Amino acid sequence: MTSTVLKTDRLILRKMRRTDLPLLMEIFSDPEAMRFYRSTKTKEQAEDWISWTLRNYRTYGVGLWIVEEKASGRFLGQCGITPQDTGGVTEKEIGYLFARREWGKGYATEAATACKEYGFTSLNYRKLVSIINVHNLASIRVAEKVGMKKEKNFQRAGNMMSVYSISNS
């Protein structure tokens, strides 16, 4: 059984495993990478994140996937589709979070675009969103490059969040 979900020119997106904990901790322990989350994550919180992801695979058939560079197998980050509350409505969200050493290389846009195409073509979703802290300009740029437009703002855990969305026409 293969764990590969998607491939692009440069990337492989594969299912997350419990053994990915040290890879994810590179992101979760980095205050700059986690600036727009509530805080960095402890090892235990990262284990909970992996459990949540594995539950999403079982329950919804989607979740966050590990993103690796196709040529080298090097860990880059995570990207995928998860059900999220957008202020009272549950939507399918394209989420992305990459290691800081990989920022600015177009990996998030490439992975998010692959997730969008997968969601629309293979899963027949009508709409996809990204929920982004209003101050996270880099993530907003990724959403816009994927074709999303700002739909609304809402409060989450004391932060103002924007919902960016795209519909399958």
Side-chain angles (χ1 to χ4, degrees):
M1 179 176 98
T2 180
S3 66
T4 299
V5 179
L6 296 170
K7 290 182 182 181
T8 70
D9 288 345
R10 300 185 296 165
L11 309 175
I12 291 176
L13 282 71
R14 66 159 174 84
K15 288 186 177 175
M16 193 177 289
R17 303 184 280 258
R18 294 206 181 275
T19 54
D20 291 320
L21 180 64
L23 301 173
L24 291 167
M25 285 308 296
E26 177 186 353
I27 300 171
F28 290 153
S29 65
D30 180 348
E32 181 62 19
M34 297 298 288
R35 185 170 59 165
F36 296 108
Y37 282 75
R38 290 182 192 112
S39 66
T40 55
K41 291 188 185 300
T42 63
K43 183 174 173 261
E44 292 74 25
Q45 290 169 322
E47 287 169 343
D48 290 345
W49 181 270
I50 294 171
S51 294
W52 169 73
T53 298
L54 298 178
R55 239 184 345 271
N56 280 333
Y57 295 164
R58 288 190 304 273
T59 307
Y60 304 102
V62 292
L64 290 168
W65 301 303
I66 296 294
V67 181
E68 297 172 333
E69 185 180 53
K70 192 188 277 186
S72 67
R74 189 167 47 100
F75 170 77
L76 304 175
Q78 56 185 328
C79 184
I81 302 172
T82 60
Q84 292 288 336
D85 179 359
T86 61
V89 179
T90 300
E91 308 263 19
K92 295 294 193 289
E93 181 198 23
I94 298 175
Y96 36 89
L97 186 58
F98 282 76
R100 186 164 25 134
R101 63 182 157 75
E102 304 302 342
W103 290 1
K105 298 177 182 175
Y107 292 134
T109 300
E110 188 172 331
T113 299
C115 288
K116 176 188 80 172
E117 291 168 1
Y118 180 70
F120 286 158
T121 332
S122 297
L123 303 175
N124 297 312
Y125 292 153
R126 289 192 146 98
K127 178 182 175 185
L128 289 162
V129 303
S130 283
I131 304 166
I132 305 168
N133 183 299
V134 296
H135 302 294
N136 190 343
L137 301 180
S139 283
I140 289 168
R141 279 194 300 277
V142 170
E144 290 172 342
K145 287 179 190 172
V146 170
M148 294 185 174
K149 305 275 186 246
K150 184 174 171 183
E151 183 178 303
K152 68 178 180 179
N153 288 338
F154 73 101
Q155 286 280 131
R156 178 194 279 170
N159 292 305
M160 185 58 70
M161 308 299 285
S162 291
V163 176
Y164 282 75
S165 68
I166 187 168
S167 295
N168 186 7
S169 42

